[in-house]
């Protein structure tokens, strides 16, 4: 009985203590401001937090800085005078990393970029927890094709390579995986996709784009945004995307990055803006980055007609804008349309800018501008509200920290590797195979393969926006070809004729030629180098533009020396930018364009060379015969080739959408579900029978083009409006259907209403944009259809 009483007393005491602590926890929870209550709607939390914030604290959310470790490295590598023209590295003269840390604890920083380790991400968030309002940081990074600036990440093929797959869902899945790796490493915001529509392949950033076609670029952009953001980017598995760069920097007057662009309003609406319209209206992209360049005399970072009148007011963009690297200050220092940084901020924020990338003084000067009445406080309120919304939706107020073990588990996981490899397999384009040397025989006994070239045995296959990755995570061309070659009985030899194109010497060319003479087959791995951590040897990529489309350095000399032997030579290109070498392609036994196909480039290339995989990539851009043909695109206007060049063909080296296979395909005449488009909700189904007429299973990409036969303004001779991949066994036939909507036939009228005009449209189907292979059918529109009306200030 005594024992039972003692147990009863202890139980009662335990219950009392639990009640006391529960009551204390409840009281503490009750004292928390509403914005820290995760059960409340995001809108209420944002409203409550902003009601507690001063003007200064709201402006601080608009301020972004580079990471502390980045600052330390940049200070050691750059001089102060180099900062203005360097878009890759930055620091702040007069401020040390400790000063930036103090700013964070004072709540004076809203965002960071170039934070590439879990440890630093956690350190910065810990500092933010010491700030008065405990607002977490939004950490952004250039995760362009995988979280490539982080060592150990999955490196997917570069955007131009992804576009060559014509496989939207595959890219969407890879983007989902990139978001997972980002969140596991403490990052929340990816500065991708680059939906600039390429019109000049001299531009070094060609590899960052999805090519020359607005529809394909739009599809790839939507796949990337949807994969990263999902429906509303809430929770722990998603990040926000950033469509960039608004607008038309891919068509500068001289092919150089940041140079002026001078195109008409109609060209902007028809070519450059469609991917942005779709990114906003179809994918709800949450951030947009302005462009370095000017258009028609207006710098992108102060273009109110573009940022506010069009994107926000007409197309209902509901996210926020971020500047490109230091570009608000460059309104004054580069463009000379503002007298100083303060006036540049005034122009930019009034135009719609919401966050400054990057550095000090922006906050101080913007606060002054608001108090002087030169910037409306509502502009600051809008920017702050949108930035806070991201942080709440992502759950950063509840848990801004990440676990190192989780990062190691998620990075380069098996599922991510599988997707990256599949992207690489589908991206590679067989450009020539005139001697049918490919695929190579699987019986290599007694035969030898010699491999050489500047991109044969290094990480140039990874492309731009990637840090050096662990060697075990990357399969180089040499490794991939050697492995499968040896498995098939070949003897494989390699010679380093120069690890980069600029390092190929005459003596090494002689040595390489001697080795090639002793081999049955030579694989020449040529191309360019956009690897940003090899800046002094880069030949393309950001801020490394090209005055020629020919191979750099002594590569052609190396190739010709080996080709002169008269033996089998397979050229493998590794480059995010197109290579225009007509004579080389004519002489080579085969040319395989592998772009920059990421961590598994070597494996995917070898699988195609030996026939394990049938190539199915398609060119997302037109490859001209020479730089003298530029602008050379497939969707040109009717009078583009009325006359001829004196010393050059009017035809490209390879047309948009082109790519060979080891098998052959036959297309039937296209059929329409109906011959008249009646309203904006109509869907026209275009069907073709595709037959694999060869002896090998293969994938083909059915492409659908449209032409407006008579229009009120000139229209392109053809425009891609649909495509679908189809896998066919040898001898198999399948019916492939591609749906077109009213928007597929729409144009902008004189008042920039988006309409389908009355008349006849030609629908063309085939496996490239080449005219002679396209089959046609007509569609009628009996009355004009209005899809979207302009607004007075457009």
């Amino acid at each position: 009985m005594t024992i039972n009483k003692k147990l009863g007393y202890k139980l009662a005491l335990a219950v009392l203590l639990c009640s006391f602590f529960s009551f204390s926890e409840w009281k503490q929870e009750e004292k928390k401001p509403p914005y820290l209550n995760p059960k409340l709607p995001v809108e209420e939390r944002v409203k409550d937090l902003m009601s507690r914030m001063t003007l200064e604290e709201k402006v601080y959310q608009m301020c972004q800085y580079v990471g502390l470790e980045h600052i330390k490295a940049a200070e050691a590598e750059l001089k102060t005078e180099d900062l203005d023209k360097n878009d890759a590295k930055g620091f702040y003269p007069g401020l040390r990393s400790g000063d930036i840390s103090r700013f964070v604890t004072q709540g004076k920083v809203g965002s960071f970029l170039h934070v590439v380790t879990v440890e630093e991400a956690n350190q910065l968030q810990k500092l933010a927890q010491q700030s008065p309002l405990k607002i977490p940081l939004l950490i952004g990074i250039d995760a362009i094709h995988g979280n490539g600036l982080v060592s150990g990440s999955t490196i997917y093929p570069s955007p131009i390579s992804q576009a060559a797959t014509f496989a939207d869902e595959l890219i969407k899945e890879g983007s989902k995986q990139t978001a997972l790796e980002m969140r596991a490493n403490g990052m929340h915001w990816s500065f991708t996709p680059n939906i600039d529509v390429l019109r000049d392949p001299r531009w070094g950033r060609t590899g960052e784009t999805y090519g020359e076609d607005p529809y394909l670029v739009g599809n790839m952009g939507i796949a990337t945004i949807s994969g990263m953001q999902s429906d509303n980017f809430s929770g722990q598995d998603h990040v926000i995307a950033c469509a960039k760069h608004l607008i038309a920097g891919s068509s500068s007057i001289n092919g150089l990055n940041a140079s002026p662009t001078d195109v008409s309003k109609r060209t902007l609406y028809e070519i450059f803006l469609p991917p942005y319209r779709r990114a906003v209206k179809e994918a709800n992209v949450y951030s947009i980055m302005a462009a370095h360049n000017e258009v028609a005399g207006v710098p992108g970072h102060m273009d109110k007609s573009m940022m506010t009148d069009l994107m926000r007011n007409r197309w209902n963009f509901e996210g926020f804008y971020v500047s490109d690297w230091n570009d608000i200050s460059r309104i004054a220092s580069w463009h000379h349309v503002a007298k100083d940084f303060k006036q540049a901020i005034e122009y930019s924020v009034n135009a719609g800018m919401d966050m400054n990338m990057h550095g000090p003084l922006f906050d101080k000067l913007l606060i002054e501008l608001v108090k002087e009445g030169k910037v409306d406080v509502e502009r600051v309120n809008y920017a702050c509200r949108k930035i806070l919304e991201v942080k709440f939706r992502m759950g950063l107020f509840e848990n801004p920290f990440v676990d190192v073990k989780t990062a190691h588990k998620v990075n380069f996981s098996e599922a991510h590797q599988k997707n990256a490899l599949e992207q690489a397999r589908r991206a590679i384009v067989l450009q020539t195979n005139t001697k049918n040397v490919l695929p190579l025989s699987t019986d290599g006994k007694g035969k030898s393969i010699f491999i050489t070239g500047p991109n044969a045995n290094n990480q140039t296959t990874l492309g731009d926006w990637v840090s050096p990755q662990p060697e075990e995570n990357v399969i180089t061309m040499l490794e991939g070809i050697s492995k499968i070659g040896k498995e098939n009985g070949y003897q494989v030899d390699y010679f380093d004729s120069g690890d980069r194109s600029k390092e190929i010497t005459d003596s090494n060319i002689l040595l390489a030629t001697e080795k090639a003479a002793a081999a049955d087959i030579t694989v020449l791995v040529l191309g360019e180098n956009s690897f940003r951590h090899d800046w002094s040897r880069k030949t393309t990529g950001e801020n490394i533009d090209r005055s020629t489309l020919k191979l750099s350095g002594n590569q052609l000399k190396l190739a010709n020396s080996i080709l002169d032997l008269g033996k089998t030579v397979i050229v493998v290109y590794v480059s995010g930018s197109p290579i225009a070498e007509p004579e080389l392609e004519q002489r080579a036994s085969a040319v395989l364009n592998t772009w920059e196909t990421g961590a598994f480039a070597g494996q995917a290339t070898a699988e195609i060379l030996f026939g394990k995989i049938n190539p199915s990539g398609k060119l997302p851009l037109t490859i001209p015969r020479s730089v003298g043909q530029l602008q050379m695109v497939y969707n040109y206007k009717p009078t583009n080739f009325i006359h001829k060049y004196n010393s050059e063909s009017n035809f490209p080296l390879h047309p948009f959408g082109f790519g060979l296979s080891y098998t052959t395909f036959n297309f039937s005449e296209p059929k329409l579900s109906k011959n008249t488009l009646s309203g904006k909700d109509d869907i026209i189904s275009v069907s073709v029978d595709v037959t694999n007429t060869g002896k090998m299973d293969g994938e083909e990409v059915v492409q659908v083009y449209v032409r407006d036969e008579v229009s009120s303004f000139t229209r392109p001779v053809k425009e891609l409006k649909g495509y679908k991949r189809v896998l066919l066994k040898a001898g198999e036939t399948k019916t492939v259907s591609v749906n077109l909507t009213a928007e597929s036939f729409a144009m902008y009228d004189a008042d920039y209403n988006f309409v389908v005009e009355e008349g006849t449209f030609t629908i063309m189907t085939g496996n490239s944009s080449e005219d002679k292979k396209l089959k046609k059918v007509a569609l009628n529109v009996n009355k004009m259809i209005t899809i979207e009306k302009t607004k007075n200030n457009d």
Side-chain angles (χ1 to χ4, degrees):
M1 191 71 178
T2 306
I3 293 173
N4 288 339
K5 282 183 178 180
K6 287 181 179 180
L7 287 172
Y9 291 145
K10 288 181 179 179
L11 181 61
L13 180 61
V15 170
L16 183 62
L17 288 171
C18 286
S19 299
F20 173 76
F21 285 117
S22 297
F23 177 77
S24 299
E25 290 171 2
W26 176 77
K27 290 298 288 182
Q28 288 177 359
E29 189 71 28
E30 188 179 44
K31 290 179 182 178
K32 283 184 178 180
Y35 76 85
L36 291 179
N37 182 356
K39 297 179 181 178
L40 292 177
V42 167
E43 293 76 11
E44 288 186 31
R45 298 178 74 184
V46 171
K47 184 177 179 181
D48 177 70
L49 176 53
M50 288 189 65
S51 72
R52 302 167 187 273
M53 297 173 75
T54 64
L55 168 65
E56 289 76 9
E57 288 170 325
K58 292 173 183 176
V59 169
Y60 296 150
Q61 288 301 302
M62 302 168 69
C63 299
Q64 185 181 70
Y65 289 78
V66 294
L68 306 184
E69 295 304 316
H70 179 95
I71 290 173
K72 293 174 186 176
E75 286 173 335
E77 296 175 24
L78 291 181
K79 297 177 181 178
T80 301
E81 55 266 29
D82 298 329
L83 288 173
D84 185 49
K85 292 185 179 180
N86 193 301
D87 293 333
K89 299 173 183 176
F91 64 92
Y92 311 115
L95 292 175
R96 311 297 289 184
S97 57
D99 297 315
I100 309 303
S101 296
R102 187 175 68 257
F103 289 168
V104 180
T105 62
Q106 294 169 343
K108 293 185 176 181
V109 181
S111 175
F112 275 94
L113 78 157
H114 289 332
V115 174
V116 297
T117 66
V118 172
E119 292 78 8
E120 185 178 358
N122 283 338
Q123 176 195 0
L124 291 171
Q125 297 289 10
K126 187 175 181 180
L127 292 172
Q129 290 300 301
Q130 299 174 35
S131 65
L133 293 170
K134 295 181 171 52
I135 300 175
L137 299 163
L138 184 67
I139 297 178
I141 194 166
D142 288 279
I144 308 300
H145 48 111
N147 199 16
L149 298 180
V150 174
S151 180
S153 297
T154 308
I155 309 302
Y156 299 83
S158 64
I160 197 70
S161 317
Q162 292 177 349
T165 69
F166 281 68
D168 306 355
E169 287 301 316
L170 189 65
I171 306 311
K172 181 178 179 179
E173 182 60 29
S175 298
K176 284 182 182 179
Q177 295 169 351
T178 295
L180 291 173
E181 294 196 17
M182 287 178 63
R183 291 304 298 271
N185 286 272
M187 296 107 190
H188 322 107
W189 180 16
S190 176
F191 302 127
T192 197
N194 183 334
I195 52 175
D196 293 325
V197 178
L198 180 73
R199 305 307 270 181
D200 190 336
R202 293 177 299 172
W203 194 39
R205 303 186 78 167
T206 294
E208 285 183 55
T209 76
Y210 297 111
E212 73 184 36
D213 177 73
Y215 179 76
L216 178 62
V217 171
N219 279 8
M220 290 290 153
I222 288 170
T224 302
I225 296 163
S226 300
M228 288 187 161
Q229 291 190 174
S230 189
D231 293 330
N232 65 1
F233 56 84
S234 295
Q236 301 293 319
D237 295 340
H238 307 117
V239 300
I240 59 170
C242 182
K244 64 182 188 183
H245 308 80
L246 195 68
I247 187 80
S250 52
S251 188
S252 71
I253 60 173
N254 56 8
L256 295 175
N257 198 33
S259 290
T261 295
D262 194 6
V263 296
S264 68
K265 179 178 178 179
R266 181 158 297 278
T267 299
L268 285 175
Y269 273 72
E270 290 181 352
I271 300 297
F272 298 102
L273 283 168
Y276 286 89
R277 179 180 180 271
R278 295 182 63 201
V280 170
K281 297 176 81 70
E282 296 180 38
N284 194 30
V285 68
Y286 199 76
S287 70
I288 295 176
M289 183 181 289
H292 293 310
N293 57 285
E294 63 168 86
V295 177
V298 181
H301 280 68
M302 56 178 283
D303 192 342
K304 182 176 181 293
S305 67
M306 195 64 57
M307 287 195 280
T308 297
D309 298 340
L310 178 62
M311 300 301 296
R312 280 188 169 133
N313 295 344
R314 176 167 176 173
W315 290 341
N316 301 316
F317 171 54
E318 296 181 348
F320 68 91
Y321 286 101
V322 62
S323 74
D324 206 341
W325 189 272
N326 289 328
D327 275 354
I328 295 178
S329 66
R330 289 165 173 170
I331 291 173
S333 63
W334 282 10
H335 296 287
H336 298 277
V337 292
K339 63 184 179 182
D340 53 25
F341 187 26
K342 182 174 180 178
Q343 191 173 60
I345 293 170
E346 175 188 346
Y347 293 166
S348 186
V349 175
N350 281 337
M353 186 57 63
D354 301 301
M355 183 181 285
N356 177 57
M357 178 196 289
H358 57 95
L361 296 181
F362 175 85
D363 50 1
K364 173 181 177 293
L365 297 174
L366 179 54
I367 291 164
E368 289 177 7
L369 288 164
V370 174
K371 291 181 176 179
E372 293 167 5
K374 294 179 179 178
V375 173
D376 193 326
V377 69
E378 284 308 309
R379 273 270 54 246
V380 173
N381 286 336
Y382 177 92
C384 180
R385 183 166 61 251
K386 291 298 179 179
I387 294 163
L388 291 176
E389 182 181 336
V390 177
K391 298 179 180 183
F392 279 116
R393 288 198 184 281
M394 288 189 169
L396 300 183
F397 279 85
E398 286 66 63
N399 182 20
F401 303 106
V402 288
D403 179 64
V404 175
K405 292 181 181 178
T406 299
H408 289 321
K409 182 179 179 181
V410 174
N411 292 349
F412 205 63
S413 64
E414 185 176 347
H416 299 188
Q417 292 180 45
K418 183 178 179 181
N419 181 278
L421 174 59
E422 191 59 32
Q423 285 190 32
R425 288 167 170 164
R426 295 189 182 190
I428 294 171
V429 179
L430 181 60
Q431 290 184 183
T432 71
N433 193 24
T434 52
K435 299 178 182 179
N436 292 318
V437 69
L438 295 180
L440 294 174
S441 170
T442 54
D443 181 11
K445 188 175 181 180
K447 299 176 184 177
S448 61
I449 297 173
F450 171 59
I451 304 170
T452 193
N455 291 338
N457 193 32
N458 51 47
Q459 296 193 5
T460 52
T461 53
L462 302 184
D464 204 351
W465 296 105
V466 176
S467 295
Q469 295 297 311
E471 292 293 337
E472 62 272 18
N473 286 12
V474 179
I475 300 176
T476 68
M477 291 296 178
L478 173 62
E479 291 168 342
I481 298 169
S482 294
K483 182 177 185 297
I484 297 182
K486 290 176 181 177
E487 288 173 354
N488 285 287
Y490 289 90
Q491 177 186 331
V492 181
D493 188 20
Y494 166 70
F495 175 67
D496 180 1
S497 54
D499 191 45
R500 295 293 187 273
S501 65
K502 296 178 181 180
E503 298 172 0
I504 299 172
T505 63
D506 288 344
S507 59
N508 277 346
I509 290 174
L510 289 173
L511 289 171
T513 305
E514 289 176 8
K515 290 180 176 291
D520 297 297
I521 300 165
T522 293
V523 178
L524 273 174
V525 188
L526 309 174
E528 304 304 325
N529 169 27
S530 68
F531 205 43
R532 67 180 35 238
H533 287 266
D534 188 25
W535 203 277
S536 64
R537 301 192 294 176
K538 281 182 68 170
T539 58
T540 190
E542 187 186 32
N543 292 340
I544 305 292
D545 305 297
R546 305 161 72 207
S547 60
T548 177
L549 302 182
K550 291 185 172 295
L551 289 164
S552 60
N554 276 334
Q555 292 185 87
L556 191 58
K557 190 173 182 180
L558 169 67
N560 283 332
S561 180
I562 293 175
L563 284 164
D564 286 343
L565 297 171
K567 308 189 91 174
T568 299
V569 177
I570 300 164
V571 172
V572 173
Y573 285 144
V574 175
S575 177
S577 296
I579 307 298
E581 292 285 5
E583 291 183 11
L584 173 60
E585 294 205 14
Q586 189 175 18
R587 296 187 70 193
S589 306
V591 175
L592 203 61
N593 186 346
T594 71
W595 308 102
E596 298 161 326
T597 30
F600 298 97
Q603 178 178 339
T605 299
E607 289 174 339
I608 288 174
L609 289 175
F610 289 95
K612 288 192 170 187
I613 298 293
N614 194 342
S616 61
K618 300 290 184 178
L619 294 177
L621 47 74
T622 303
I623 300 182
R625 302 185 67 82
S626 69
V627 74
Q629 285 186 321
L630 299 180
Q631 184 185 79
M632 174 61 78
V633 293
Y634 88 93
N635 48 353
Y636 53 84
K637 294 293 186 74
T639 57
N640 209 59
F641 294 113
I642 295 296
H643 299 292
K644 298 180 179 180
Y645 293 111
N646 175 47
S647 58
E648 183 63 273
S649 165
N650 282 2
F651 296 99
L653 183 60
H654 298 295
F656 173 88
F658 170 80
L660 297 173
S661 171
Y662 293 150
T663 189
T664 53
F665 299 94
N666 181 66
F667 282 57
S668 70
E669 298 292 330
K671 297 178 181 179
L672 304 182
S673 56
K674 56 182 180 177
N675 296 321
T676 301
L677 181 74
S678 303
K680 68 177 182 179
D681 296 323
D682 272 10
I683 293 176
I684 304 295
S685 180
V686 183
S687 299
V688 293
D689 292 335
V690 185
T691 303
N692 183 341
T693 54
K695 298 180 180 180
M696 185 175 183
D697 298 351
E699 277 191 284
E700 182 59 289
V701 179
V702 177
Q703 301 165 40
V704 180
Y705 297 87
V706 168
R707 175 171 182 167
D708 189 346
E709 291 298 336
V710 179
S711 50
S712 58
F713 290 86
T714 60
R715 302 287 296 134
V717 295
K718 67 176 79 72
E719 295 179 286
L720 181 72
K721 294 299 179 181
Y723 52 82
K724 185 175 287 187
R725 273 184 168 266
V726 57
L727 175 62
L728 293 166
K729 295 179 180 179
E732 184 180 15
T733 297
K734 287 183 180 179
T735 300
V736 179
S737 296
V738 176
N739 290 337
L740 302 181
T741 66
E743 289 200 12
S744 305
F745 307 94
M747 63 171 286
Y748 289 95
D749 67 12
D751 295 319
Y752 285 86
N753 300 301
F754 198 40
V755 302
V756 181
E757 293 189 325
E758 179 183 343
T760 300
F761 292 81
T762 299
I763 296 173
M764 298 162 271
T765 57
N767 59 4
S768 82
S769 64
E770 189 177 7
D771 282 330
K772 65 182 181 181
K773 294 185 179 180
L774 292 171
K775 296 184 177 180
K776 305 172 183 179
V777 65
L779 176 78
N780 296 314
V781 178
N782 294 330
K783 63 179 180 178
M784 189 178 76
I785 301 167
T786 300
I787 294 173
E788 175 187 291
K789 288 189 175 182
T790 188
K791 294 187 177 181
N792 292 332
N793 55 358
D794 280 0

